[in-house]
Amino acid sequence: MYKQFTYFWLSFAILVVQIFLLDNISIAMWLRPMIFPLVVLLLPMEWRMVWTLLTALAVGLTMDLALGGSGLYTSSLLPLAVLRPWIMYLTTGRTVEHSDQSALLSRLFTKQVMLYTAGAMFVHHTLFFMLETLSFASPLRLAATILCSTLCTMVVSTPIIHLYKSKIA
């Protein structure tokens, strides 16, 4: 019960920081840190897919309603929830077995969790910015936006991941 309570408050804090702080920071057009996918990425890997999808839907709808995304946040977060086990396998070489009741993320080193998160954030940012622009008129700008935003997101996410590893995992 303690872990679920702590995870809920960490998720709430991530969403509040994203909505009220990071969304209002205007450094450059191509630099947009988005930490809200961490709520879905740091869910226990052993959860059934339906619970992960429902959580991603709730987070996506919250972001869409709070920031006026018109479904953009939800449509970029739901595929990430589905691809999460494959991203875990590609970045860390670990497979998700639902019969295993021990937390997979807690058994990984911090470096592996960071690699998993970076890969997943890259996938999310690619989906998000491609859906946002709906154009390949300037592919270099799109690529720069994806890479720079992913890098900035990882810089902001690092303390959150360390907090997660120390308190929840």
Side-chain angles (χ1 to χ4, degrees):
M1 181 67 180
Y2 170 74
K3 288 184 179 185
Q4 289 86 1
F5 187 70
T6 306
Y7 182 80
F8 172 77
W9 285 110
L10 180 63
S11 300
F12 181 74
I14 287 171
L15 292 177
V16 166
V17 167
Q18 179 68 50
I19 292 169
F20 293 111
L21 181 67
L22 294 178
D23 193 56
N24 294 324
I25 294 175
S26 180
I27 301 169
M29 277 182 72
W30 44 269
L31 193 62
R32 293 178 53 191
M34 292 186 272
I35 61 170
F36 69 92
L38 285 176
V39 175
V40 175
L41 293 176
L42 297 178
L43 284 173
M45 295 301 287
E46 297 77 23
W47 273 21
R48 295 194 182 275
M49 185 61 70
V50 67
W51 297 116
T52 305
L53 286 171
L54 286 173
T55 304
L57 179 66
V59 170
L61 287 176
T62 301
M63 295 301 295
D64 281 329
L65 291 174
L67 301 175
S70 301
L72 182 62
Y73 293 95
T74 304
S75 60
S76 65
L77 201 54
L78 285 173
L80 184 67
V82 173
L83 295 174
R84 208 168 65 115
W86 287 293
I87 296 170
M88 172 67 74
Y89 179 72
L90 289 174
T91 56
T92 65
R94 303 278 182 111
T95 58
V96 179
E97 298 175 13
H98 294 290
S99 61
D100 188 10
Q101 293 301 314
S102 61
L104 177 62
L105 287 175
S106 65
R107 293 187 313 220
L108 296 175
F109 295 115
T110 304
K111 181 180 176 182
Q112 290 176 312
V113 176
M114 294 294 289
L115 188 61
Y116 156 69
T117 306
M121 286 295 187
F122 179 76
V123 170
H124 174 264
H125 283 60
T126 301
L127 289 169
F128 184 87
F129 291 118
M130 288 180 84
L131 288 172
E132 186 180 49
T133 59
L134 289 176
S135 169
F136 290 107
S138 56
L140 292 177
R141 181 176 174 182
L142 179 63
T145 303
I146 292 168
L147 291 175
C148 291
S149 292
T150 302
L151 188 64
C152 184
T153 298
M154 287 311 298
V155 168
V156 174
S157 298
T158 300
I160 297 168
I161 292 169
H162 284 291
L163 180 68
Y164 169 82
K165 287 286 288 178
S166 68
K167 296 291 182 188
I168 297 175

